[in-house]
Amino acid sequence: MAILGPIIKAALNVHEYFTHVDNHVEAQEKVLQNLLDKAKDTAFGENYDFNSILASDEPAAMFADAVPYHDYNSMDEKWWQRIKKGEENVTWPGLPNYMARSSGTTGKKSKMIPVTDEMLDAIRAAGTRQVSSLTNFDLDAEVFEKEALALGSSTDLDEVDGFKVGEISGIAASNIPEFLESKYRPGSEISRIDDWDERVERIAQESGDWDIAMISGIPSWLEMMLKKVMDHHGVDSIHDVWPSLSVYTSGGVAFEPYRKSFEKLFSKPVQIVDTYLASEGFIACQQRQETDSMQLITDGGIYFEFVPFKPEYIEPDGSISQNAPALTMAQVEKDVDYVLIISTVSGAWRYLIGDTIAFTDVDHAEIKITGRTKFFLNVVGSQLSVLKMEKAVQELQEQFNTSIKEFTVYARQDDQGDFYHYWYLGTDTETSEEDLKEALDQSLQEANKNYKVARTKALKGVKVTKVDPDIFAAWNEHQKKKGGQVKMAKVLSDDKQEAWEEFVTNYKG
């Protein structure tokens, strides 16, 4: 009989009640006020006269007028390089102890993003908010006294120029409060293992001694880990190893393409809860069972602005035009794609995180990630977002009763000068590439009027290649990106296309 579970659940329910945000507009106004006040005496704050913004009757509007948009390159070149050389009080008071390494899915080299103690506090608070919100879901009380496994990056952080450097999940895990360590798996020893395969092997070896009720991680890598655990024990369901497993906290990529393959691993219902943790901070998490949308963390260490996602505001490199308008929480509308802009307690200011979102419920500040500014196929006016791509792939799965967990796509001219979208679908289906092509093309035309118009003009069509689903993980490993927060690029950049085609040709499985 569970004794601690009901007590823990009741305590979390109280926490949820007292930390719940009713007015997200007011919460964001307070966050902006706090950010400006804390940073007014930094080099950045003095340069953009934060004191005058604070004295203004409309600080949000004056802030937007005074401070330009930044992407990583402009923020790093003008400001963060000074921090990396040891200068204090540049974009945030003091000097951060950590740098988050983010290779992401674009860019040729890793980004190094400052992580302050205030940001770690904000991430911890958001994580506690997420756990306490699980009381809103239909879960047995005993779940709350079991163990949780997080498959993130290594907590064995590098020392670089006086900073501790690692991926944000590893940095956050290395700062888990002591009172939670007894419930956290795989534990500090295994979490410090840098080699992903070795870490997963150790997890499989130790898994029989754990009573896991909650798991978290990026779907592609977590699925591989679960299969490794099942193979180690010679079972057909992960519930044969962890019968208490009831919650999977997903994140990093859309879960839906993985649903069918995950359901094959489960023999009991598992509640899927979505989260949005980026190298720049904990952005949002699902907090209600009646929706699969995520609620922005509007009272934490991040101030949000929203630029309408229109081609005229997007530069060729995926950055934002400086004349693009930015909206506040009070101005956004439902079902409109926005480029997400953030200012944070780590000293990122009007920073283009690279993601596009749409509000599903403005009053609840609930969103869906709709894509990336760089993962946006606008060749010959097709204006195809990642969300539209993922929905089309989901329709393929349903139409042909198959699984397509990963895909990548790019646009290019053939030898005759005609434009095509080249799709690579990770699937074991026996459905022909021709049938997949026709269904995919039809789905995209029905879902996107701009794509339909482009198909009558310069965009000649779609070409589909079926590939082994494991090739995407192999490609990432080939690119020296494996495990942790690594994600496959949904749209391949020009400089990667030839290498990808060669890799596909030579791939042996």
Side-chain angles (χ1 to χ4, degrees), residues 364-385:
H364 283 95
E366 288 174 339
I367 64 162
K368 286 274 194 181
I369 300 174
T370 58
R372 298 277 293 174
T373 56
K374 291 186 179 181
F375 296 170
F376 179 61
L377 278 179
N378 195 30
V379 175
V380 296
S382 56
Q383 295 189 26
L384 194 59
S385 69

Side-chain angles (χ1 to χ4, degrees), residues 91 110 127 140 142 150 183 212 229 275 312 340 404 441 497 509:
T91 61
S110 296
D140 291 337
E142 64 179 19
K183 296 294 183 181
I212 304 296
V229 171
T275 62
E312 58 263 35
L340 189 61
I404 306 173
D441 188 36
Q497 293 167 14

